[in-house]
Amino acid sequence: MVVLNSISQIVNGLLDDQLKQLYSDVKLLEAQRTRYAKALWEFANLFGSPEKAALFSSPGRMEIIGNHTDHNHGLCIAASVHADTIAVASKTNDPFVDIYSEGHKPIHFSVDDLSKKETEIGKSCSLVRGIAKRFRQCGYKIGGFCAFTTSDVPKGSGLSSSAAFENLVGSILNYFYNEGKIDPVTIAKIGRFAENHYYDKPCGLLDQLSSACGGTLFMDFADPEKPCVESLSFDTEKMGCVLCLVDIGERHNGLVGDYASIPQEMKQVAGFFGKEVLREVSSVAFFKNLSQIRKTCSDRAILRAIHYFNENQRVTDFKENIQKGRYDAILSLIRESGKSSFCYNQNVFSCSGVQRQGLSLALAVCDTFLSGRGAFRLHGGGFGGTVLAFVPNDLYNAFEQIMSDTLGEPCVKKIHIRSVGCTKLF
């Protein structure tokens, strides 16, 4: 009856006030009601109708500026978005975790065995096991639960479906076993631990943090264990632009080495100065010693360090311009960030497949079509994935058409910034 009552409440609009906080575009509400009702039905078909079932939502995230800075303790501005992963979940009396995710293999294991499994590396199960492990290491309570999840955060889109899933699992354990008292920053750090040490992806904290906290955030990772997080007011409508992603259709499979090379090479440059990360190095000292650095580091490593130092400054300038409402300056900084990622950070395409450069092509079309209006840049980790674009309202329809014609299918998705991070609805 619990599940049936919940479905009735959603279909009849009784949860619309909560849903509006997550999906600001009222046009999305009816589709979301249907989506949540379907998730509840799927859960009931899988697990029956327990006395208590809870509903969770965890958003994807958008990196606005600050590309590949977090892993060297830099600065970034990012935001949570309306695309999310949702779960219907129930606490159980046994030690087993059972998760059925739409379109994926079921996850089943006991929290009595949280050791890392080599056969799970790179799979979602490793993330769940790693999160449970970190909960226990941090002195938090854990236990069994069952859940059905479904996501409209596209994999490989740069919106970080993995961070949304990690925060979702962390929130379930938080509310079921820790009275919801664990703060969002800690939930994010636990997700990063799982991704670093169980999934074996050397990511920073940006993805998890911006998904967990919600809204538009300025983040300073000088101390990754205690990141500085500041909420910003950022209204893209005041810029006269539509915020959208262009999905290139090229996924990130087999590119972990490309990603890993960026923090590694930046840290090699830091090592020249006897430091671990570039945040500990003075930009003045770096530029004064370029000829000496070349004797121990590759030119690409140096170019990536140049990107890091300049990108941090762009983040600082972006924050100042947001606060002063200087929208033309903001768009200019985004364009500069995109150019730097392409020329210096070099994460637009993989050197192992230079003949396929869908992201480069999409950026070139954006450059030609927008012709100095709006802004665009690669989004997220790069090496395929998506373009983030701020398209002037009067150009949007034509922009959507030319991008779809170029890439062969409808590929432009409007994005809405959401003010709420990972949350429990009821």
Side-chain angles (χ1 to χ4, degrees):
M1 291 299 294
V2 171
V3 171
L4 292 177
N5 287 338
S6 298
I7 292 173
S8 177
Q9 286 181 323
I10 290 172
V11 171
N12 291 324
L14 297 180
L15 292 181
D16 278 5
D17 287 344
Q18 288 175 273
L19 293 178
K20 286 176 184 177
Q21 294 182 34
L22 309 185
Y23 315 102
S24 56
D25 187 345
V26 294
K27 296 177 183 177
L28 298 173
L29 276 182
E30 186 168 352
Q32 292 298 337
R33 289 191 206 109
T34 302
R35 179 179 176 228
Y36 277 84
K38 180 183 176 184
L40 283 157
W41 270 116
E42 293 290 350
F43 177 87
N45 288 334
L46 289 165
F47 304 109
S49 185
E51 292 184 7
K52 291 185 179 180
L55 195 59
F56 297 85
S57 166
S58 181
R61 71 97 182 102
M62 170 182 62
E63 173 198 292
I64 299 172
I65 193 167
N67 190 231
H68 277 286
T69 54
D70 59 330
H71 47 59
N72 267 255
H73 300 190
L75 308 176
C76 181
I77 292 176
S80 57
V81 299
H82 75 276
D84 64 349
T85 301
I86 64 173
V88 184
S90 179
K91 184 177 179 180
T92 60
N93 295 320
D94 57 48
F96 295 103
V97 171
D98 285 287
I99 301 176
Y100 285 76
S101 295
E102 189 173 35
H104 298 274
K105 292 182 178 179
I107 293 171
H108 174 81
F109 68 88
S110 170
V111 296
D112 292 334
D113 179 11
L114 298 178
S115 59
K116 182 177 179 179
K117 310 296 181 185
E118 294 298 317
T119 57
E120 292 178 356
I121 292 174
K123 299 178 181 178
S124 297
C125 188
S126 68
L127 295 173
V128 185
R129 198 186 295 268
I131 289 166
K133 176 70 172 182
R134 192 60 174 169
F135 262 75
R136 180 167 285 169
Q137 286 179 339
C138 294
Y140 300 125
K141 296 178 182 178
I142 60 172
F145 67 89
C146 56
F148 172 79
T149 81
T150 182
S151 180
D152 60 9
V153 185
K155 291 196 70 175
S157 66
L159 294 177
S160 196
S161 57
S162 58
F165 180 72
E166 291 157 19
N167 288 331
L168 191 74
V169 173
S171 293
I172 290 171
L173 290 173
N174 184 19
Y175 282 98
F176 284 172
Y177 290 99
N178 297 276
E179 300 178 336
K181 293 181 178 179
I182 306 174
D183 63 276
V185 174
T186 300
I187 294 294
K189 288 161 62 178
I190 288 172
R192 181 194 58 177
F193 169 88
E195 193 155 347
N196 288 171
H197 300 286
Y198 273 62
Y199 194 86
D200 279 5
K201 182 177 179 180
C203 67
L205 187 57
L206 183 154
D207 293 357
Q208 293 83 0
L209 196 58
S210 47
S211 168
C213 295
T216 302
L217 305 172
F218 165 80
M219 294 176 280
D220 186 339
F221 297 102
D223 181 353
E225 295 307 310
K226 297 179 181 179
C228 172
V229 182
E230 181 181 342
S231 294
L232 299 174
S233 178
F234 183 46
D235 186 350
T236 57
E237 290 186 5
K238 291 181 179 179
M239 303 170 73
C241 291
V242 177
L243 183 59
C244 58
L245 286 180
V246 181
D247 189 349
I248 310 305
E250 295 178 3
R251 297 306 174 228
H252 301 121
N253 297 336
L255 297 176
V256 172
D258 290 287
Y259 289 115
S261 70
I262 298 175
Q264 288 169 357
E265 291 183 4
M266 289 183 180
K267 289 174 182 178
Q268 286 171 7
V269 175
F272 172 87
F273 296 93
K275 306 295 184 180
E276 291 188 7
V277 292
L278 285 177
R279 186 61 179 271
E280 300 171 345
V281 178
S282 159
S283 60
V284 174
F286 166 74
F287 284 105
K288 278 186 177 180
N289 287 278
L290 287 181
S291 62
Q292 294 301 311
I293 299 172
R294 290 190 74 192
K295 295 177 181 179
T296 58
C297 300
S298 69
D299 287 342
R300 187 175 73 170
I302 294 171
L303 288 167
R304 284 173 164 171
I306 290 173
H307 165 80
Y308 171 87
F309 288 116
N310 291 342
E311 189 77 343
N312 271 347
Q313 185 59 52
R314 279 187 287 268
V315 172
T316 300
D317 294 343
F318 192 100
K319 178 185 175 186
E320 179 182 343
N321 283 299
I322 282 181
Q323 294 167 337
K324 294 182 178 180
R326 296 172 177 167
Y327 301 117
D328 287 344
I330 287 170
L331 292 171
S332 177
L333 287 165
I334 294 171
R335 291 192 294 267
E336 291 174 17
S337 174
K339 180 179 178 181
S340 180
S341 290
F342 205 152
C343 297
Y344 305 136
N345 204 39
Q346 299 182 27
N347 59 321
V348 171
F349 59 89
S350 172
C351 292
S352 62
V354 295
Q355 298 303 315
R356 187 166 181 81
Q357 295 192 38
L359 186 54
S360 305
L361 177 59
L363 291 168
V365 174
C366 287
D367 192 18
T368 303
F369 178 81
L370 294 176
S371 188
R373 296 185 63 192
F376 63 94
R377 47 158 292 194
L378 73 82
H379 181 253
F383 304 110
T386 55
V387 171
L388 173 66
F390 292 74
V391 182
N393 293 329
D394 62 305
L395 295 180
Y396 179 76
N397 289 337
F399 176 82
E400 185 178 39
Q401 186 63 54
I402 194 170
M403 296 309 302
S404 296
D405 288 345
T406 300
L407 299 173
E409 58 184 42
C411 58
V412 181
K413 299 177 176 65
K414 292 183 180 179
I415 297 296
H416 304 280
I417 295 175
R418 133 176 176 174
S419 61
V420 180
C422 195
T423 187
K424 175 176 175 287
L425 278 77
F426 65 74

